Amino acid sequence: MYRIGELATACEVTADTLRFYEKNGLFSPSSRSDKGYRLYTEEDARHLKFILRAKAMGFSLTEIRELLNIEASRSDWACADVKGMVEAKAAELQRKIDEMTRLRDSLQELADACCGGPESAIHCSILDTLETK
Amino acid sequence: MYRIGELATACEVTADTLRFYEKNGLFSPSSRSDKGYRLYTEEDARHLKFILRAKAMGFSLTEIRELLNIEASRSDWACADVKGMVEAKAAELQRKIDEMTRLRDSLQELADACCGGPESAIHCSILDTLETK
DNA sequence: ATAAACCTTGGAGTTAGGTCTAAGGTCAAA
DNA sequence: TTTGACCTTAGACCTAACTCCAAGGTTTAT
C-alpha cells in the first residue's frame, strides 16, 4: 500500500494533483488507514498510470472520465466507440495544428520582410503591416 | 466619433471586450461625452485594429501591450527588437506544432491498431495500450 | 410620454487544471 | 520527547481572456 506522497512521487505528480483528481471523480484510493490516510494499491497505481497516459495523449480530464467509464465496463461498449473517440481527438488536434501552422507562416512572412537591423524601428515593416494591413 | 457599441460591432468584438482592454491598459477612448459615454475616433479604431490583428497573429494581450509600447515610440526601438519578438513567437508556435504533431501521430497509431468494429471492447487494443504501455 | 435600446460602474463568474494556505493530526527517528 | 516529515480538510487563489450581472442614467423612436 502506498500513501499519497509515495504514489505521487512514483508517478511524478503532486499529492495535491491526486486529491484534485479524487475530488473530480477520476481516481480514488481503495481504502483509508484507521487514521484517515489514503492507501493506494498496485491496482490503483495502474489506474493512475492509465489517466496519466491518456493525459499525455492530449485527452482532457472530462474525456479521460469517459475513457475510464468505458474501461470500467468494456463489455458495454464497442470498439467503434473507443476508436471514434481517438479519431475525433486526432482530428481535433489536426485542426489545431493547421491553424497554428497558418499563424506560424504569417509570422514568418512578417519576420522575413523585416530588415532586423539595429536601425530605429521608425520604418519597421512589421509594425507597418500590423497597423495597416 | 463612435460610441462603444458602434466600434465593437464594426470590429466584431463586444463592448465588454473593449472595456476589458481599457481596464487592462491596451486601449482607451480619446474622449468622453459630457454624460460619460466613451467616444472613439478613427485613430482609436485603427489602434483597435492593430490589437486585433496582433491577436489574430497569436500574440497574447501582454505581448500586444509590448508591441503597442514599441509602436507608440518607434524611434526608441530597433527593427531587431521587433523582429526578435516575432521570430520568438514563430519559434514558440513551432514547438507547439511539433508537440501536437507527435500527439496526433500517437493517437493515429492507436486508432489504426483498433479494429473499430461493433464488437464489444473487451479486447480493445486501444484500452489495452492505455492500460499497459 | 414612454418604451426600447443604449450607456455607466463595480464586481462576480467562467473554464481547465491545478496550486497553495491554514489549522490541525500522525508517525518515525534521535 | 521533541523535531521534522508526512497526512487531513475546506476553501482561497492562479492564469487568460473574457462574460455576465445589477442598478442605475441617457438617448432615440414612436
Side-chain angles (χ1 to χ4, degrees), chain B residues 3-17:
Chain B
R3 290 196 308 191
I4 195 167
E6 291 167 336
L7 182 60
T9 301
C11 292
E12 300 184 276
V13 293
T14 69
D16 269 332
T17 296

Side-chain angles (χ1 to χ4, degrees), chain B residues 25-75:
Chain B
L26 274 104
F27 172 63
S28 298
S30 293
S31 57
R32 293 277 185 139
S33 78
D34 56 347
K35 296 298 182 185
Y37 283 24
R38 290 169 178 82
L39 294 175
Y40 300 94
T41 61
E42 285 295 342
E43 168 86 20
D44 292 335
R46 279 195 297 276
H47 195 141
L48 175 57
K49 280 172 194 155
F50 180 102
I51 291 170
L52 297 178
R53 270 183 221 113
K55 202 162 87 71
M57 289 291 196
F59 287 97
S60 71
L61 299 190
T62 299
E63 289 161 339
I64 292 173
R65 236 188 319 266
E66 282 183 68
L67 282 173
L68 289 169
N69 282 338
I70 296 177
E71 167 63 14
S73 57
R74 285 189 183 215
S75 58

Side-chain angles (χ1 to χ4, degrees), chain A residues 26-87:
Chain A
L26 274 103
F27 171 64
S28 298
S30 293
S31 57
R32 295 274 186 142
S33 77
D34 55 347
K35 295 300 182 180
Y37 284 24
R38 289 168 179 82
L39 295 175
Y40 300 94
T41 62
E42 285 295 341
E43 170 85 21
D44 293 335
R46 278 194 298 276
H47 195 141
L48 175 58
K49 280 172 195 157
F50 180 102
I51 292 171
L52 297 178
R53 269 183 222 114
K55 202 160 86 71
M57 288 294 194
F59 288 98
S60 70
L61 298 191
T62 299
E63 289 161 339
I64 292 173
R65 236 188 320 265
E66 283 183 68
L67 282 173
L68 288 170
N69 282 338
I70 295 177
E71 166 63 15
S73 58
R74 286 188 182 216
S75 58
D76 295 349
W77 303 83
C79 261
D81 297 325
V82 183
K83 186 168 182 169
M85 277 187 71
V86 172
E87 285 187 329

Side-chain angles (χ1 to χ4, degrees), chain B:
Chain B
M1 299 291 236
Y2 305 100
R3 290 196 308 191
I4 195 167
E6 291 167 336
L7 182 60
T9 301
C11 292
E12 300 184 276
V13 293
T14 69
D16 269 332
T17 296
L18 299 189
R19 289 191 203 97
F20 172 78
Y21 286 171
E22 184 174 343
K23 197 165 58 182
N24 287 274
L26 274 104
F27 172 63
S28 298
S30 293
S31 57
R32 293 277 185 139
S33 78
D34 56 347
K35 296 298 182 185
Y37 283 24
R38 290 169 178 82
L39 294 175
Y40 300 94
T41 61
E42 285 295 342
E43 168 86 20
D44 292 335
R46 279 195 297 276
H47 195 141
L48 175 57
K49 280 172 194 155
F50 180 102
I51 291 170
L52 297 178
R53 270 183 221 113
K55 202 162 87 71
M57 289 291 196
F59 287 97
S60 71
L61 299 190
T62 299
E63 289 161 339
I64 292 173
R65 236 188 319 266
E66 282 183 68
L67 282 173
L68 289 169
N69 282 338
I70 296 177
E71 167 63 14
S73 57
R74 285 189 183 215
S75 58
D76 295 349
W77 302 83
C79 263
D81 296 326
V82 184
K83 187 166 181 170
M85 274 187 74
V86 173
E87 286 187 328
K89 196 74 196 172
E92 183 190 322
L93 236 40
Q94 186 58 56
R95 277 192 300 280
K96 285 186 188 163
I97 289 169
D98 290 345
E99 188 184 338
M100 294 179 80
T101 301
R102 270 188 287 104
L103 280 183
R104 185 212 52 198
D105 289 347
S106 302
L107 285 171
Q108 202 53 61
E109 215 174 292
L110 221 51
D112 289 347
C114 176
C115 66
E119 305 81 6
S120 123
I122 290 183
H123 302 296
C124 179
S125 70
I126 294 176
L127 294 176
D128 286 351
T129 301
L130 283 173
E131 254 187 47
T132 63
K133 192 181 68 178

Side-chain angles (χ1 to χ4, degrees), chain A residues 63-123:
Chain A
E63 289 161 339
I64 292 173
R65 236 188 320 265
E66 283 183 68
L67 282 173
L68 288 170
N69 282 338
I70 295 177
E71 166 63 15
S73 58
R74 286 188 182 216
S75 58
D76 295 349
W77 303 83
C79 261
D81 297 325
V82 183
K83 186 168 182 169
M85 277 187 71
V86 172
E87 285 187 329
K89 197 74 197 172
E92 184 191 322
L93 275 173
Q94 186 59 56
R95 278 192 300 280
K96 285 188 188 162
I97 289 168
D98 290 345
E99 189 185 338
M100 295 179 80
T101 302
R102 269 188 289 103
L103 281 183
R104 184 211 52 197
D105 289 348
S106 302
L107 285 171
Q108 201 55 61
E109 215 173 292
L110 221 51
D112 289 348
C114 176
C115 65
E119 305 81 8
S120 121
I122 289 183
H123 301 296

